[in-house]
Amino acid sequence: IEFTVGIMLFPKRQGGLGGRAGLIVKGAGDPRKKVPDLLDFIGNRDWSGALGLLKFQMNMEDIQADSSVMTEKTFWMAYCFMHLGAFQEAVDKLDEHLQQDPDPEVSVWLWKAVCKYGLGLYKEAEECAFRGTTGQLQNRILFHVAHRLGDETQLMNYHQRLTSSVEDQLSLAGMHFLRGHYQEATDLYKRVLLEQRDNTALNIYVALCYYKLDYYDVSLEILSLYLSRHPDSVYAINIKACNHYKLYNGAAAETELKALSAATGTPIGNIDNELIRHNVSVFRNGENALQ
């Protein structure tokens, strides 16, 4: 589902997104080794690493003395928690801002709405969205909330407000997928890909749609393009395994998950991912299903 929160610059606080420049520390092998800064971690999708750096920075006295920098760090922590799927932790950080800042950012309510949606609290998500900034992101959130609440009248109302922007079209494609309209979703994703050929992540959505349409070979072909660039993608490897399960059997599917096991140094059945654990159980004909 595409809300496309993205990296936002807050109008009242236009500080550098990366915070302080990378620190220089002394090391035995390299006397001036550069410690990765925040954007290095974000660019590498290392959300846990980014959180570790942020926690360290927020304990520094000079940063604690600057309320605007502390606010920026708080938002970045919420951003990282959201990408980890830790929506409650993200909400807690956003609430810190609301409680501590006498003039809170209006956009915080949209971030909070996304988190509430991720937690399945759709009515609360709607209430937060209404308190946020009016615009495309608010409309996309309310569009998907209306679907979850079963309000078809409101859903059509928000649908009519969607624009031709990439974010809105991806949101519409996500809605088609949720409603089982896989061909319509595929057509939209492919249309966006024609305009943004470098947006390789869209191949994951296209591959998933073809999987749902039972075109397993086509799905595998599309996944191979993405995996050639991102061989450690949990989502891509999982879809590939599911395709092999449909085409062959559970043993063939489990073989595809060995890349994740090797990367984490963890047995396949113990990988810390609920979706992977569920699918491993399916591949093994229900083994350990009640654990």
Side-chain angles (χ1 to χ4, degrees), residues 48-112:
S48 296
L51 283 169
L53 177 62
L54 286 164
K55 290 176 182 177
F56 170 76
Q57 290 177 335
M58 293 177 77
N59 284 322
M60 299 172 68
E61 291 184 4
D62 58 335
I63 288 181
Q64 290 179 341
D66 190 328
S67 60
S68 64
V69 174
M70 285 294 288
T71 296
E72 178 190 338
K73 302 299 182 185
T74 299
F75 272 103
W76 272 116
M77 290 191 76
Y79 181 80
C80 293
F81 279 129
M82 289 168 72
H83 278 80
L84 284 170
F87 297 113
Q88 186 56 57
E89 288 85 348
V91 169
D92 292 341
K93 286 297 169 185
L94 296 173
D95 282 342
E96 281 183 25
H97 170 65
L98 289 171
Q99 293 166 6
Q100 297 173 5
D101 196 320
D103 184 23
E105 301 288 353
V106 179
S107 54
V108 72
W109 290 105
L110 297 182
W111 286 50
K112 192 171 179 179

Side-chain angles (χ1 to χ4, degrees), residues 154-173:
Q154 285 291 67
L155 184 143
M156 293 307 299
N157 179 35
Y158 298 126
H159 184 184
Q160 292 171 3
R161 299 180 189 177
L162 294 175
T163 69
S164 59
S165 71
V166 170
E167 293 84 0
D168 280 6
Q169 290 304 297
L170 291 178
S171 182
L172 180 57

Side-chain angles (χ1 to χ4, degrees), residues 32-49:
R32 293 185 61 79
K33 186 177 180 181
K34 180 176 180 294
V35 176
D37 64 17
L38 181 59
L39 289 188
D40 291 328
F41 286 111
I42 298 297
N44 292 325
R45 297 173 296 160
D46 184 355
W47 311 113
S48 296

Side-chain angles (χ1 to χ4, degrees), residues 10 18 42 62 64 69 71 87 112 133 163-164 167 177-178 181 183 187-188 207 209 215 218 246 257 261 283-284 288:
F10 303 105
I42 298 297
D62 58 335
Q64 290 179 341
V69 174
T71 296
F87 297 113
K112 192 171 179 179
T133 308
T163 69
S164 59
E167 293 84 0
F177 186 90
L178 287 173
H181 306 154
Q183 188 58 59
D187 292 343
L188 279 171
C209 288
Y215 292 126
V218 178
K246 291 291 189 178
L257 295 179
S261 179
F283 300 157
R284 295 176 177 176
N288 298 327

Side-chain angles (χ1 to χ4, degrees), residues 264-283:
T264 60
T266 305
I268 292 177
N270 295 331
I271 292 176
D272 188 19
N273 183 293
E274 290 185 10
L275 180 60
I276 296 297
R277 289 199 299 270
H278 170 270
N279 285 347
V280 168
S281 178
V282 172
F283 300 157

Side-chain angles (χ1 to χ4, degrees), residues 147-281:
H147 166 70
R148 293 297 188 180
L149 294 176
D151 191 336
E152 291 294 312
T153 301
Q154 285 291 67
L155 184 143
M156 293 307 299
N157 179 35
Y158 298 126
H159 184 184
Q160 292 171 3
R161 299 180 189 177
L162 294 175
T163 69
S164 59
S165 71
V166 170
E167 293 84 0
D168 280 6
Q169 290 304 297
L170 291 178
S171 182
L172 180 57
M175 181 62 71
H176 280 308
F177 186 90
L178 287 173
R179 295 167 79 88
H181 306 154
Y182 304 121
Q183 188 58 59
E184 290 86 344
T186 302
D187 292 343
L188 279 171
Y189 285 131
K190 290 170 69 174
R191 190 182 308 160
V192 174
L193 263 175
L194 288 174
E195 300 174 3
Q196 297 191 352
R197 296 184 182 276
D198 292 335
N199 196 342
T200 57
L202 291 178
N203 286 292
I204 293 291
Y205 298 102
V206 177
L208 183 57
C209 288
Y210 276 121
Y211 170 82
K212 299 295 287 187
L213 289 167
D214 297 337
Y215 292 126
Y216 308 120
D217 289 325
V218 178
S219 180
L220 284 171
E221 183 179 348
I222 295 170
L223 284 171
S224 66
L225 298 173
Y226 185 79
L227 284 168
S228 65
R229 297 191 183 188
H230 306 285
D232 60 342
S233 170
V234 173
Y235 298 105
I237 291 172
N238 178 62
I239 299 171
K240 183 179 181 181
C242 291
N243 276 305
H244 278 263
Y245 178 71
K246 291 291 189 178
L247 287 170
Y248 308 111
N249 52 46
E254 193 167 335
T255 298
E256 295 302 321
L257 295 179
K258 287 183 178 179
L260 292 179
S261 179
T264 60
T266 305
I268 292 177
N270 295 331
I271 292 176
D272 188 19
N273 183 293
E274 290 185 10
L275 180 60
I276 296 297
R277 289 199 299 270
H278 170 270
N279 285 347
V280 168
S281 178

